[in-house]
Every structure is written in C-alpha cells, then in structure tokens.
Amino acid sequence: LVDGEKRFHSEGCGMVFNDSFVHSAANEGGETRILFALLYANPQLSEIERKAMVEVSSRLPDGAIAYTK
C-alpha cells in the first residue's frame, strides 16, 4: 500500500516507489522475498537536513541503512 493505492509485485519484475509517502508491505506468499532498497536523498534538502540524515543514520544498528553523499 503506497499513499492509499494497493500495488502488487510480479515475479521477475521490479517495483519502484517514493517511500516518503505513507506505505506498508507484506509477504503473503509462501516463498522468501528479498528486498533491495536504494535510498536517495531529496536533492532539495538543505545542507543542515543532509547533515541531520547522516547523523540519524549513524545512530542506527550496523547494516540498517546506508547513506552516501
């Protein structure tokens, strides 16, 4: 569910969405699902906001998030 719209994954296909919208995901199948997430900072963020993202992500457990400039 992304911003109130239900979306479905199709085997062999990728899915891209803007996760700044309220969203949820569930694996209702019997197979293992692997998630590959890429995080991009909004290019309109100010320098202070970018520094805050780095600070917050540095406090998360190892492997929880990766952020690069």
Side-chain angles (χ1 to χ4, degrees), residues 1-65:
L1 192 62
V2 179
D3 195 30
E5 180 183 331
K6 198 167 199 175
R7 300 181 185 185
F8 297 92
H9 173 263
S10 296
E11 186 173 344
C13 297
M15 177 184 289
V16 177
F17 67 93
N18 180 346
D19 73 348
S20 66
F21 292 101
V22 174
H23 65 281
S24 63
N27 181 9
E28 297 173 351
E31 300 288 323
T32 300
R33 182 180 68 179
I34 299 172
L35 172 68
F36 178 69
L38 297 173
L39 304 175
Y40 293 93
N42 184 323
Q44 296 176 340
L45 292 178
S46 69
E47 182 65 24
I48 292 171
E49 290 168 322
R50 285 192 297 274
K51 287 181 179 180
M53 285 183 66
V54 171
E55 178 63 27
V56 168
S57 66
S58 73
R59 296 172 185 264
L60 295 173
D62 287 343
I65 191 170

